[in-house]
PDB file of all heavy atoms in Angstrom:
ATOM      1  N   GLU E 440       7.372  21.082  10.791  1.00 93.00           N
ATOM      2  CA  GLU E 440       6.487  21.194   9.627  1.00 93.00           C
ATOM      3  C   GLU E 440       7.266  20.998   8.331  1.00 93.00           C
ATOM      4  O   GLU E 440       6.881  20.203   7.467  1.00 93.00           O
ATOM      5  CB  GLU E 440       5.804  22.566   9.611  1.00 93.00           C
ATOM      6  CG  GLU E 440       4.834  22.715   8.441  1.00 93.00           C
ATOM      7  CD  GLU E 440       4.641  24.169   8.039  1.00 93.00           C
ATOM      8  OE1 GLU E 440       4.654  25.047   8.916  1.00 93.00           O
ATOM      9  OE2 GLU E 440       4.511  24.421   6.824  1.00 93.00           O
ATOM     10  N   PHE E 512      -0.435  10.098   7.774  1.00 94.00           N
ATOM     11  CA  PHE E 512      -1.504  11.065   8.037  1.00 94.00           C
ATOM     12  C   PHE E 512      -1.668  11.245   9.541  1.00 94.00           C
ATOM     13  O   PHE E 512      -1.889  12.349  10.026  1.00 94.00           O
ATOM     14  CB  PHE E 512      -2.828  10.595   7.419  1.00 94.00           C
ATOM     15  CG  PHE E 512      -2.793  10.491   5.927  1.00 94.00           C
ATOM     16  CD1 PHE E 512      -3.019   9.285   5.294  1.00 94.00           C
ATOM     17  CD2 PHE E 512      -2.525  11.606   5.158  1.00 94.00           C
ATOM     18  CE1 PHE E 512      -2.982   9.185   3.914  1.00 94.00           C
ATOM     19  CE2 PHE E 512      -2.485  11.519   3.781  1.00 94.00           C
ATOM     20  CZ  PHE E 512      -2.713  10.298   3.162  1.00 94.00           C
ATOM     21  N   ASN E 515       2.324  12.456  11.331  1.00 94.00           N
ATOM     22  CA  ASN E 515       2.833  13.808  11.068  1.00 94.00           C
ATOM     23  C   ASN E 515       1.750  14.851  10.850  1.00 94.00           C
ATOM     24  O   ASN E 515       1.998  16.029  11.000  1.00 94.00           O
ATOM     25  CB  ASN E 515       3.746  13.801   9.846  1.00 94.00           C
ATOM     26  CG  ASN E 515       4.998  12.978  10.069  1.00 94.00           C
ATOM     27  OD1 ASN E 515       4.908  11.768  10.253  1.00 94.00           O
ATOM     28  ND2 ASN E 515       6.144  13.625  10.095  1.00 94.00           N
ATOM     29  N   TRP E 516       0.571  14.404  10.450  1.00 95.00           N
ATOM     30  CA  TRP E 516      -0.481  15.366  10.081  1.00 95.00           C
ATOM     31  C   TRP E 516      -1.736  15.103  10.909  1.00 95.00           C
ATOM     32  O   TRP E 516      -2.837  14.969  10.381  1.00 95.00           O
ATOM     33  CB  TRP E 516      -0.759  15.281   8.562  1.00 95.00           C
ATOM     34  CG  TRP E 516       0.492  15.463   7.776  1.00 95.00           C
ATOM     35  CD1 TRP E 516       1.267  14.487   7.232  1.00 95.00           C
ATOM     36  CD2 TRP E 516       1.170  16.704   7.502  1.00 95.00           C
ATOM     37  NE1 TRP E 516       2.367  15.039   6.621  1.00 95.00           N
ATOM     38  CE2 TRP E 516       2.339  16.398   6.775  1.00 95.00           C
ATOM     39  CE3 TRP E 516       0.893  18.032   7.806  1.00 95.00           C
ATOM     40  CZ2 TRP E 516       3.229  17.370   6.352  1.00 95.00           C
ATOM     41  CZ3 TRP E 516       1.781  19.012   7.378  1.00 95.00           C
ATOM     42  CH2 TRP E 516       2.932  18.662   6.660  1.00 95.00           C
ATOM     43  N   ALA E 517      -1.553  15.045  12.220  1.00 94.00           N
ATOM     44  CA  ALA E 517      -2.647  14.657  13.114  1.00 94.00           C
ATOM     45  C   ALA E 517      -3.786  15.673  13.079  1.00 94.00           C
ATOM     46  O   ALA E 517      -4.964  15.298  13.122  1.00 94.00           O
ATOM     47  CB  ALA E 517      -2.120  14.486  14.532  1.00 94.00           C
ATOM     48  N   ASP E 518      -3.477  16.965  12.999  1.00 94.00           N
ATOM     49  CA  ASP E 518      -4.554  17.957  12.949  1.00 94.00           C
ATOM     50  C   ASP E 518      -5.346  17.838  11.643  1.00 94.00           C
ATOM     51  O   ASP E 518      -6.559  18.031  11.622  1.00 94.00           O
ATOM     52  CB  ASP E 518      -4.005  19.389  13.108  1.00 94.00           C
ATOM     53  CG  ASP E 518      -3.921  19.785  14.582  1.00 94.00           C
ATOM     54  OD1 ASP E 518      -4.378  18.994  15.440  1.00 94.00           O
ATOM     55  OD2 ASP E 518      -3.414  20.884  14.879  1.00 94.00           O
ATOM     56  N   TYR E 519      -4.647  17.510  10.585  1.00 94.00           N
ATOM     57  CA  TYR E 519      -5.331  17.214   9.315  1.00 94.00           C
ATOM     58  C   TYR E 519      -6.274  16.021   9.495  1.00 94.00           C
ATOM     59  O   TYR E 519      -7.427  16.048   9.061  1.00 94.00           O
ATOM     60  CB  TYR E 519      -4.299  16.931   8.224  1.00 94.00           C
ATOM     61  CG  TYR E 519      -4.878  16.291   6.989  1.00 94.00           C
ATOM     62  CD1 TYR E 519      -5.546  17.057   6.056  1.00 94.00           C
ATOM     63  CD2 TYR E 519      -4.765  14.923   6.771  1.00 94.00           C
ATOM     64  CE1 TYR E 519      -6.106  16.470   4.929  1.00 94.00           C
ATOM     65  CE2 TYR E 519      -5.317  14.329   5.656  1.00 94.00           C
ATOM     66  CZ  TYR E 519      -5.979  15.109   4.731  1.00 94.00           C
ATOM     67  OH  TYR E 519      -6.534  14.532   3.631  1.00 94.00           O
ATOM     68  N   SER E 520      -5.763  14.962  10.145  1.00 94.00           N
ATOM     69  CA  SER E 520      -6.550  13.739  10.302  1.00 94.00           C
ATOM     70  C   SER E 520      -7.842  14.005  11.060  1.00 94.00           C
ATOM     71  O   SER E 520      -8.892  13.458  10.729  1.00 94.00           O
ATOM     72  CB  SER E 520      -5.739  12.682  11.045  1.00 94.00           C
ATOM     73  OG  SER E 520      -4.558  12.409  10.359  1.00 94.00           O
ATOM     74  N   TYR E 522      -9.349  16.927  11.268  1.00 94.00           N
ATOM     75  CA  TYR E 522     -10.170  17.842  10.477  1.00 94.00           C
ATOM     76  C   TYR E 522     -10.970  17.078   9.422  1.00 94.00           C
ATOM     77  O   TYR E 522     -12.158  17.325   9.234  1.00 94.00           O
ATOM     78  CB  TYR E 522      -9.250  18.871   9.820  1.00 94.00           C
ATOM     79  CG  TYR E 522      -9.926  20.083   9.221  1.00 94.00           C
ATOM     80  CD1 TYR E 522      -9.856  21.318   9.859  1.00 94.00           C
ATOM     81  CD2 TYR E 522     -10.590  20.020   8.009  1.00 94.00           C
ATOM     82  CE1 TYR E 522     -10.448  22.448   9.314  1.00 94.00           C
ATOM     83  CE2 TYR E 522     -11.185  21.135   7.457  1.00 94.00           C
ATOM     84  CZ  TYR E 522     -11.113  22.354   8.106  1.00 94.00           C
ATOM     85  OH  TYR E 522     -11.692  23.450   7.571  1.00 94.00           O
ATOM     86  N   ILE E 824      -3.654  22.302   2.154  1.00 94.00           N
ATOM     87  CA  ILE E 824      -3.665  20.830   2.166  1.00 94.00           C
ATOM     88  C   ILE E 824      -5.061  20.377   1.726  1.00 94.00           C
ATOM     89  O   ILE E 824      -5.214  19.391   1.017  1.00 94.00           O
ATOM     90  CB  ILE E 824      -3.249  20.269   3.543  1.00 94.00           C
ATOM     91  CG1 ILE E 824      -2.979  18.772   3.475  1.00 94.00           C
ATOM     92  CG2 ILE E 824      -4.268  20.569   4.626  1.00 94.00           C
ATOM     93  CD1 ILE E 824      -2.234  18.226   4.675  1.00 94.00           C
ATOM     94  N   VAL E 825      -6.098  21.121   2.143  1.00 94.00           N
ATOM     95  CA  VAL E 825      -7.438  20.949   1.584  1.00 94.00           C
ATOM     96  C   VAL E 825      -7.803  22.307   0.990  1.00 94.00           C
ATOM     97  O   VAL E 825      -7.834  23.310   1.690  1.00 94.00           O
ATOM     98  CB  VAL E 825      -8.473  20.548   2.655  1.00 94.00           C
ATOM     99  CG1 VAL E 825      -9.830  20.301   1.996  1.00 94.00           C
ATOM    100  CG2 VAL E 825      -8.022  19.312   3.415  1.00 94.00           C
ATOM    101  N   LEU E 829      -8.061  24.308   4.575  1.00 93.00           N
ATOM    102  CA  LEU E 829      -7.061  24.067   5.611  1.00 93.00           C
ATOM    103  C   LEU E 829      -5.674  24.231   5.000  1.00 93.00           C
ATOM    104  O   LEU E 829      -5.377  23.603   3.979  1.00 93.00           O
ATOM    105  CB  LEU E 829      -7.232  22.646   6.175  1.00 93.00           C
ATOM    106  CG  LEU E 829      -6.298  22.236   7.311  1.00 93.00           C
ATOM    107  CD1 LEU E 829      -6.571  23.056   8.555  1.00 93.00           C
ATOM    108  CD2 LEU E 829      -6.458  20.750   7.616  1.00 93.00           C
ATOM    109  N   ARG E 830      -4.865  25.076   5.661  1.00 93.00           N
ATOM    110  CA  ARG E 830      -3.505  25.258   5.180  1.00 93.00           C
ATOM    111  C   ARG E 830      -2.605  24.142   5.690  1.00 93.00           C
ATOM    112  O   ARG E 830      -2.787  23.657   6.808  1.00 93.00           O
ATOM    113  CB  ARG E 830      -2.960  26.620   5.632  1.00 93.00           C
ATOM    114  CG  ARG E 830      -3.520  27.763   4.828  1.00 93.00           C
ATOM    115  CD  ARG E 830      -3.148  29.103   5.417  1.00 93.00           C
ATOM    116  NE  ARG E 830      -3.862  30.148   4.689  1.00 93.00           N
ATOM    117  CZ  ARG E 830      -3.353  30.793   3.636  1.00 93.00           C
ATOM    118  NH1 ARG E 830      -2.128  30.544   3.218  1.00 93.00           N
ATOM    119  NH2 ARG E 830      -4.078  31.688   3.002  1.00 93.00           N
ATOM    120  N   THR E 831      -1.629  23.783   4.871  1.00 93.00           N
ATOM    121  CA  THR E 831      -0.717  22.715   5.248  1.00 93.00           C
ATOM    122  C   THR E 831      -0.025  23.027   6.578  1.00 93.00           C
ATOM    123  O   THR E 831       0.183  22.143   7.402  1.00 93.00           O
ATOM    124  CB  THR E 831       0.335  22.510   4.128  1.00 93.00           C
ATOM    125  OG1 THR E 831      -0.348  22.468   2.879  1.00 93.00           O
ATOM    126  CG2 THR E 831       1.112  21.242   4.337  1.00 93.00           C
ATOM    127  N   GLN E 832       0.296  24.303   6.792  1.00 91.00           N
ATOM    128  CA  GLN E 832       1.001  24.672   8.025  1.00 91.00           C
ATOM    129  C   GLN E 832       0.131  24.457   9.272  1.00 91.00           C
ATOM    130  O   GLN E 832       0.646  24.316  10.369  1.00 91.00           O
ATOM    131  CB  GLN E 832       1.438  26.139   7.948  1.00 91.00           C
ATOM    132  CG  GLN E 832       0.276  27.114   7.963  1.00 91.00           C
ATOM    133  CD  GLN E 832       0.702  28.530   7.610  1.00 91.00           C
ATOM    134  OE1 GLN E 832       1.449  28.757   6.665  1.00 91.00           O
ATOM    135  NE2 GLN E 832       0.234  29.486   8.395  1.00 91.00           N
ATOM    136  N   ASP E 833      -1.193  24.430   9.095  1.00 92.00           N
ATOM    137  CA  ASP E 833      -2.090  24.211  10.236  1.00 92.00           C
ATOM    138  C   ASP E 833      -2.473  22.745  10.406  1.00 92.00           C
ATOM    139  O   ASP E 833      -3.317  22.416  11.232  1.00 92.00           O
ATOM    140  CB  ASP E 833      -3.372  25.031  10.053  1.00 92.00           C
ATOM    141  CG  ASP E 833      -3.087  26.513   9.959  1.00 92.00           C
ATOM    142  OD1 ASP E 833      -2.135  26.955  10.630  1.00 92.00           O
ATOM    143  OD2 ASP E 833      -3.784  27.215   9.199  1.00 92.00           O
ATOM    144  N   ALA E 834      -1.889  21.874   9.595  1.00 92.00           N
ATOM    145  CA  ALA E 834      -2.319  20.477   9.578  1.00 92.00           C
ATOM    146  C   ALA E 834      -1.375  19.562  10.340  1.00 92.00           C
ATOM    147  O   ALA E 834      -1.692  18.413  10.617  1.00 92.00           O
ATOM    148  CB  ALA E 834      -2.434  19.993   8.136  1.00 92.00           C
ATOM    149  N   VAL E 835      -0.206  20.089  10.704  1.00 93.00           N
ATOM    150  CA  VAL E 835       0.854  19.236  11.259  1.00 93.00           C
ATOM    151  C   VAL E 835       0.522  18.837  12.700  1.00 93.00           C
ATOM    152  O   VAL E 835      -0.209  19.543  13.394  1.00 93.00           O
ATOM    153  CB  VAL E 835       2.196  20.001  11.135  1.00 93.00           C
ATOM    154  CG1 VAL E 835       2.325  21.062  12.181  1.00 93.00           C
ATOM    155  CG2 VAL E 835       3.379  19.069  11.116  1.00 93.00           C
ATOM    156  N   SER E 836       1.023  17.683  13.145  1.00 92.00           N
ATOM    157  CA  SER E 836       0.773  17.228  14.519  1.00 92.00           C
ATOM    158  C   SER E 836       1.327  18.246  15.505  1.00 92.00           C
ATOM    159  O   SER E 836       2.507  18.595  15.433  1.00 92.00           O
ATOM    160  CB  SER E 836       1.449  15.880  14.758  1.00 92.00           C
ATOM    161  OG  SER E 836       1.077  14.964  13.771  1.00 92.00           O
ATOM    162  N   PRO E 837       0.517  18.712  16.460  1.00 91.00           N
ATOM    163  CA  PRO E 837       0.945  19.838  17.287  1.00 91.00           C
ATOM    164  C   PRO E 837       2.104  19.521  18.235  1.00 91.00           C
ATOM    165  O   PRO E 837       2.896  20.409  18.539  1.00 91.00           O
ATOM    166  CB  PRO E 837      -0.320  20.206  18.067  1.00 91.00           C
ATOM    167  CG  PRO E 837      -1.215  19.039  17.964  1.00 91.00           C
ATOM    168  CD  PRO E 837      -0.884  18.345  16.687  1.00 91.00           C
TER     169      PRO E 837
ATOM    170  N   TYR D1307      -4.343  14.953  22.777  1.00 92.00           N
ATOM    171  CA  TYR D1307      -3.062  14.470  22.255  1.00 92.00           C
ATOM    172  C   TYR D1307      -2.228  13.876  23.380  1.00 92.00           C
ATOM    173  O   TYR D1307      -2.418  14.216  24.557  1.00 92.00           O
ATOM    174  CB  TYR D1307      -2.299  15.597  21.563  1.00 92.00           C
ATOM    175  CG  TYR D1307      -2.818  15.883  20.171  1.00 92.00           C
ATOM    176  CD1 TYR D1307      -3.382  17.114  19.860  1.00 92.00           C
ATOM    177  CD2 TYR D1307      -2.748  14.917  19.181  1.00 92.00           C
ATOM    178  CE1 TYR D1307      -3.874  17.382  18.579  1.00 92.00           C
ATOM    179  CE2 TYR D1307      -3.229  15.168  17.900  1.00 92.00           C
ATOM    180  CZ  TYR D1307      -3.793  16.390  17.610  1.00 92.00           C
ATOM    181  OH  TYR D1307      -4.274  16.625  16.347  1.00 92.00           O
TER     182      TYR D1307
END
Side-chain angles (χ1 to χ4, degrees):
Chain E
E440 182 206 325
F512 297 119
N515 295 64
W516 306 99
D518 272 355
Y519 166 79
S520 302
Y522 193 105
I824 192 165
V825 183
L829 182 66
R830 284 171 187 267
T831 313
Q832 67 191 45
D833 300 326
V835 77
S836 307
Chain D
Y1307 281 117

